[in-house]
Amino acid sequence: MAPFFMRFMPLLLLLLPTAIREYYYPPVATNRRPNDATAIDEVRHPIVLVPGASCSVLEARLTDTYRPSTPRCGAMKGKGWFGLWQNRSEVAEHDYVPCFVEQMSLVYDPDANECRNLPGVETRVPNFGSTVFQRNPEHTDWCLAVLKKELERLGYHDGDTLFGAAYDLRHAPPIPGQSSRVYDRYFWQLMTLVEDASRRQQQQQQGRRKKKVILFGHSMGGMVALEFVRATPPAWREEYIKHLVLVAPLPASSGFTESVKYFVSGSEMLHVPATTAMSLRPMWRTFESVIAAFPSPAVFGDDKPLVVTGRRNYTARDMADLLADVGAAGAVEPFRRLELPKARRYFEPPMVPVTCVNGVGNGDGEGTINLISMLAFDEDMRREPGQRKQYKSIKLHGAQHSNILTQERWLKRVIQEILEANRI
Ligand SMILES: *[C@@H]1O[C@H](CO)[C@@H](O)[C@H](O)[C@H]1NC(C)=O
Ligand SMILES: *[C@@H]1O[C@H](CO)[C@@H](O)[C@H](O)[C@H]1NC(C)=O
């Protein structure tokens, strides 16, 4: 089988569009200068990458109004911006973990219906526009590192045709009918980035038309990218968005069960040394993004228990009770307000071409996102005829949430879709 296939491989490759062919046949000499206008293929559209939740750096600045719970936590007061968990070893050595938890936490303001930083803690996400994301020393291939390398090999260049849009992972992107000051600002920044990326290509290729931009989102970044597109004016989308490529996106409208786990037991996703999921749990419980992603009854139903305990079982409809029962009664009100718009199965299609790639076949999904959420997403995207004809869903059997963009065979498929999006 293999030799037969190999014999015809060159012929098969000729049938593929140039860009894809190149991908399977790596160019022998890689002396293409990415800045050189000739290296930018006819079909190449700028790409903006929106990474997963653990990939954004978060910096803080402590002002005079900050009242630390212990004096130690005020050490950085008045000293300007610092990375909240960038100095990983220092966080551990100086027993800074409780301070880290305190300064990362959000508080809910019921009057404004808004989750905010503690008084006196200002935060920002640095490096907006760049694809230099948070690096996890234990997993240097995470945070789109492998994908980025591949795109660069194909001629993409950071700051020229390739951009990044990190966000504040603690906040949930607003779904239609909600508002968020944090995301209002982020969406505005992202619109500007997309417009600049598009014009830049036009200037470099004098006289050519503006190049639309491919927006790529992974995991929580997929949710952010989707909500961003939905929040833009239709004429703007038409003018600037070439394609939305979503890989293992977190499903905003249906939620997923893993978020309940983050809430109940914490998570080690951020890799802060000397911490455990449990020690960071108080912090996770304040994140709007976590409670907003709880499984919705409209998709998960109200008869199947999602959390089983000795005393009581909880279905998707019992999540508010669960919050109170695990001792987080303060989260009930923001949860109810965030859940409200989802009570009916809301969905607003982005009305741009979309490709969605998911792993399947690992238990009940791909390790993080439930199959039922993926299928609900597909169904929603296909409900509106105008979206259905520009929606492509790909399920990769065996791919997991954690390796869909690091293992070569899955990554290849994703790159193929990006090239396809470039071509059509
Ligand atoms: C981070 O490390 C650098 C170098 O060791 C140090 O100057 C800085 O004060 C540290 N910042 C924090 C917040 O610990
Ligand atoms: C909870 O669900 C499990 C599994 O579905 C079932 O065996 C158990 O009896 C239920 N417990 C309660 C208290 O209803």
Side-chain angles (χ1 to χ4, degrees):
M1 177 69 196
F4 173 82
F5 180 69
M6 287 315 284
R7 207 143 48 90
F8 288 95
M9 192 68 173
L11 288 176
L12 290 172
L13 284 167
L14 284 176
L15 298 175
L16 294 172
T18 328
I20 299 180
R21 218 186 300 151
E22 243 176 55
Y23 185 68
Y24 280 107
Y25 266 158
V28 185
T30 46
N31 58 352
R32 306 169 71 175
R33 284 176 301 148
N35 270 330
D36 189 331
T38 57
I40 294 161
D41 202 318
E42 188 82 41
V43 295
R44 199 156 287 149
H45 290 263
I47 299 186
V48 175
L49 304 176
V50 190
S54 67
C55 306
S56 296
V57 179
L58 205 56
E59 289 181 343
R61 181 165 69 177
L62 307 177
T63 69
D64 280 344
T65 41
Y66 177 51
R67 296 279 165 268
S69 57
T70 63
R72 186 178 69 242
C73 294
M76 291 300 286
K77 212 159 145 173
K79 296 203 179 138
W81 293 102
F82 62 97
L84 270 170
W85 70 104
Q86 220 158 13
N87 283 357
R88 292 161 195 276
S89 51
E90 301 229 343
V91 170
E93 274 163 31
H94 296 139
D95 192 18
Y96 201 66
V97 173
C99 309
F100 166 77
V101 168
E102 179 171 305
Q103 291 158 15
M104 280 288 282
S105 291
L106 296 178
V107 280
Y108 178 66
D109 173 352
D111 295 331
N113 186 23
E114 200 174 66
C115 291
R116 297 194 189 133
N117 290 327
L118 240 60
V121 179
E122 292 175 5
T123 49
R124 69 175 183 193
V125 180
N127 306 329
F128 184 83
S130 150
T131 58
V132 176
F133 302 126
Q134 179 75 260
R135 266 174 79 84
N136 179 336
E138 284 162 38
H139 299 277
T140 51
D141 55 347
W142 284 9
C143 292
L144 311 183
V146 193
L147 174 81
K148 194 181 141 189
K149 215 183 287 167
E150 279 303 294
L151 289 174
E152 283 172 347
R153 205 178 59 78
L154 289 167
Y156 275 97
H157 189 65
D158 195 15
D160 184 34
T161 44
L162 189 60
F163 303 88
Y167 50 90
D168 185 335
L169 81 138
R170 304 171 302 163
H171 292 272
I175 62 172
Q178 294 174 339
S179 64
S180 158
R181 271 204 297 183
V182 171
Y183 276 95
D184 279 353
R185 191 181 131 73
Y186 172 82
F187 287 170
W188 178 82
Q189 279 183 302
L190 188 46
M191 276 176 92
T192 310
L193 179 68
V194 166
E195 288 168 18
D196 289 350
S198 173
R199 272 193 221 108
R200 199 183 169 84
Q201 286 312 295
Q202 190 182 26
Q203 282 160 6
Q204 283 181 6
Q205 311 178 6
Q206 292 130 5
R208 298 269 185 100
R209 276 190 305 148
K210 244 188 319 227
K211 286 265 184 189
K212 292 188 187 185
V213 171
I214 295 173
L215 198 54
F216 177 96
H218 173 230
S219 193
M220 181 171 173
M223 179 205 271
V224 171
L226 177 69
E227 299 302 342
F228 162 70
V229 173
R230 280 206 281 236
T232 59
W236 189 91
R237 290 176 228 176
E238 176 71 30
E239 190 174 351
Y240 288 105
I241 300 297
K242 172 76 179 150
H243 208 104
L244 187 55
V245 180
L246 306 175
V247 176
L250 299 193
S253 51
S254 59
F256 61 117
T257 51
E258 188 84 357
S259 61
V260 180
K261 222 161 91 187
Y262 292 170
F263 195 93
V264 172
S265 318
S267 165
E268 290 182 319
M269 191 169 78
L270 292 183
H271 303 278
V272 186
T275 62
T276 58
M278 257 332 207
S279 67
L280 295 184
R281 184 173 78 173
M283 170 190 95
W284 284 102
R285 288 187 170 184
T286 72
F287 287 4
E288 186 188 28
S289 50
V290 171
I291 48 177
F294 268 34
S296 103
V299 171
F300 285 81
D302 48 13
D303 49 354
K304 199 172 164 208
L306 301 180
V307 178
V308 175
T309 74
R311 266 192 320 135
R312 184 180 165 183
N313 290 345
Y314 300 84
T315 70
R317 209 169 284 289
D318 306 320
M319 289 297 136
D321 291 351
L322 178 72
L323 297 182
D325 291 351
V326 299
V332 173
E333 192 181 341
F335 171 73
R336 287 208 189 280
R337 295 227 195 159
L338 285 164
E339 272 297 290
L340 210 58
K342 298 187 197 173
R344 56 183 174 85
R345 187 159 157 196
Y346 95 96
F347 194 78
E348 225 172 74
M351 301 308 275
V352 297
V354 178
T355 300
C356 181
V357 187
N358 279 115
V360 289
N362 301 279
D364 186 16
E366 39 91 289
T368 296
I369 296 163
N370 310 91
L371 184 61
I372 195 172
S373 308
M374 296 176 208
L375 298 179
F377 185 75
D378 284 347
E379 202 181 299
D380 286 337
M381 292 291 274
R382 288 179 178 134
R383 189 169 303 134
E384 163 76 41
Q387 183 68 64
R388 188 193 312 144
K389 61 178 194 279
Q390 42 182 351
Y391 180 61
K392 183 176 180 186
S393 167
I394 296 163
K395 301 277 183 280
L396 301 179
H397 197 90
Q400 294 172 13
H401 198 77
S402 56
N403 70 14
I404 194 162
L405 284 177
T406 55
Q407 264 193 20
E408 198 188 339
R409 58 184 164 149
W410 315 128
L411 183 74
K412 254 197 155 119
R413 188 59 210 273
V414 169
I415 293 273
Q416 211 176 309
E417 291 306 319
I418 293 176
L419 293 172
E420 175 78 12
N422 252 304
R423 196 179 55 85
I424 51 177

